[in-house]
Amino acid sequence: MKLKMFPQVRPTPAVAGSAMHHTRRWFACLAMSSALCTLGWTAMAGGGIPLEKLNLPSGRPGVQIKPVLQGEIKEVSVDQVSIIGPAKHLEPANAGSALVWLVVDGKGTMVAGTSRYEVEGETIARAPQGVAWQIEVPEGQTLHAVRVRRTLTASDLAELKKYPQNNAAPLVKKFRDCTPYGEAIKSPKTVSRTLLPENFVPRMAMGTVETSGPDVVGRHKHPMLEQIFLGLKGNDITVLADDNRANLTGFSILHIPLGSNHGAEVAAGKHLHYVWMDFFVATEGQEWLKNHKALPPQTKK
């Protein structure tokens, strides 16, 4: 059989340059994907609900930091910080921003001033404004945390001075030890807890919601605040926002679109357990938190 030979076609300089440009872009994208995989992160689309999956990295000792939900909420930045022991992470004090740590998995020691705390998964930590943190993780341990930072305005700094008792000492608590509350949009079997009460960080609050399926968190709107959900270990729910749906699993994080009519569903045999983070546009918006009704002592779980 004779092979038919075709004349060699040489690309014009313009075509060759374009091909080289696209090749370089492809290799750049490949390198970026490889870097993200090395950090153990996977970005996901939530069907109109911004969502990212936090794959907890492991490997050589050190500190890995990766932003998530970048640019989603004005004045707010969120990062996953993974510390693989033996390693230390120093978080300098910053007078212009407030910082809250949510330890989601692993163990370590957090140091603020002269105070030391042994922490593990599902712990909140907030130091007094202007106090640095040091996090120490020993060999054989890994600590995974979500670091939430809010830029403070001049009004926020003035507001902080009204509540000196909230900045007298670090706030470090296991989620299960935080104050429970009830809410009309949740079933009687749902256990909600306040992690970060109002006025510890201006225009910011945090809490958890936990229940088993089948159950729902009723749809509602709050145009006075931005909100983030962080799925905890074992969480497997559907988050609804207007006509959009997203599957929020453990160690995933999403942004509720501002002003959307949203809620959550958990199917039979599944578990709902997530952190909500509220970022109020103005201090007056914190009136929304009055919907949280403190539970009598005998109902605390």
Side-chain angles (χ1 to χ4, degrees):
M1 176 186 294
K2 291 186 177 181
L3 296 177
K4 186 174 181 180
M5 303 299 292
F6 292 91
Q8 185 177 10
V9 178
R10 297 184 180 275
T12 64
V15 173
S18 176
M20 181 63 72
H21 172 72
H22 287 293
T23 300
R24 286 173 178 164
R25 289 186 61 186
W26 183 86
F27 276 110
C29 291
L30 183 63
M32 184 179 294
S33 298
S34 176
L36 290 174
C37 289
T38 300
L39 287 174
W41 286 78
T42 305
M44 300 178 65
I49 303 174
L51 183 152
E52 292 188 40
K53 174 71 176 177
L54 283 57
N55 295 324
L56 309 186
S58 60
R60 292 182 298 178
V63 180
Q64 300 182 23
I65 301 175
K66 179 67 176 68
V68 293
L69 298 177
Q70 278 187 285
E72 283 293 325
I73 300 177
K74 184 180 178 182
E75 303 173 341
V76 175
S77 63
V78 183
D79 305 280
Q80 186 189 353
V81 180
S82 293
I83 307 171
I84 304 167
K88 294 181 181 181
H89 172 68
L90 176 63
E91 189 70 41
N94 187 329
S97 63
L99 194 69
V100 177
W101 291 90
L102 298 170
V103 179
V104 295
D105 197 50
K107 294 182 179 181
T109 302
M110 299 188 72
V111 183
T114 59
S115 301
R116 295 177 65 88
Y117 303 89
E118 300 301 319
V119 298
E120 58 183 2
E122 301 187 8
T123 297
I124 183 171
R126 156 74 179 152
Q129 189 66 21
V131 175
W133 276 113
Q134 180 168 290
I135 306 176
E136 305 167 356
V137 178
E139 186 173 2
Q141 295 287 348
T142 300
L143 182 142
H144 301 287
V146 172
R147 181 180 65 187
V148 183
R149 189 189 308 275
R150 171 146 215 174
T151 301
L152 299 178
T153 65
S155 296
D156 292 333
L157 293 170
E159 196 71 17
L160 267 177
K161 294 179 181 179
K162 297 179 183 179
Y163 305 95
Q165 69 278 13
N166 293 343
N167 270 281
L171 169 67
V172 181
K173 273 190 177 183
K174 285 284 294 179
F175 294 176
R176 64 170 177 259
D177 295 330
C178 293
T179 305
Y181 69 89
E183 197 173 5
I185 58 173
K186 299 166 186 171
S187 71
K189 71 176 182 179
T190 301
V191 179
S192 299
R193 299 184 184 278
T194 300
L195 304 185
L196 181 73
E198 62 181 311
N199 301 323
F200 275 75
V201 175
R203 299 184 295 126
M204 185 171 161
M206 294 183 179
T208 59
V209 185
E210 185 172 15
T211 187
S212 56
D215 205 351
V216 299
V217 175
R219 283 185 180 252
H220 56 287
K221 296 180 180 180
H222 37 58
M224 77 294 292
L225 65 93
E226 296 270 16
Q227 193 168 59
I228 287 175
F229 286 178
L230 169 64
L232 298 173
K233 185 181 292 185
N235 184 74
D236 189 358
I237 65 173
T238 299
V239 176
L240 316 167
D242 295 331
D243 296 329
N244 301 306
R245 303 168 68 90
N247 178 216
L248 182 70
T249 55
F251 308 122
S252 294
I253 189 167
L254 62 74
H255 174 212
I256 299 293
L258 181 63
S260 63
N261 188 25
H262 64 280
E265 299 174 348
V266 57
K270 303 288 187 179
H271 194 63
L272 179 153
H273 195 197
Y274 63 84
V275 176
W276 55 261
M277 310 177 208
D278 285 355
F279 305 95
F280 296 89
V281 176
T283 304
E284 293 74 20
Q286 293 179 164
E287 288 292 308
W288 169 263
L289 296 173
K290 290 183 178 179
N291 292 311
H292 300 177
K293 306 301 181 182
L295 298 178
Q298 64 268 24
T299 64
K300 292 186 179 182
K301 299 182 181 180

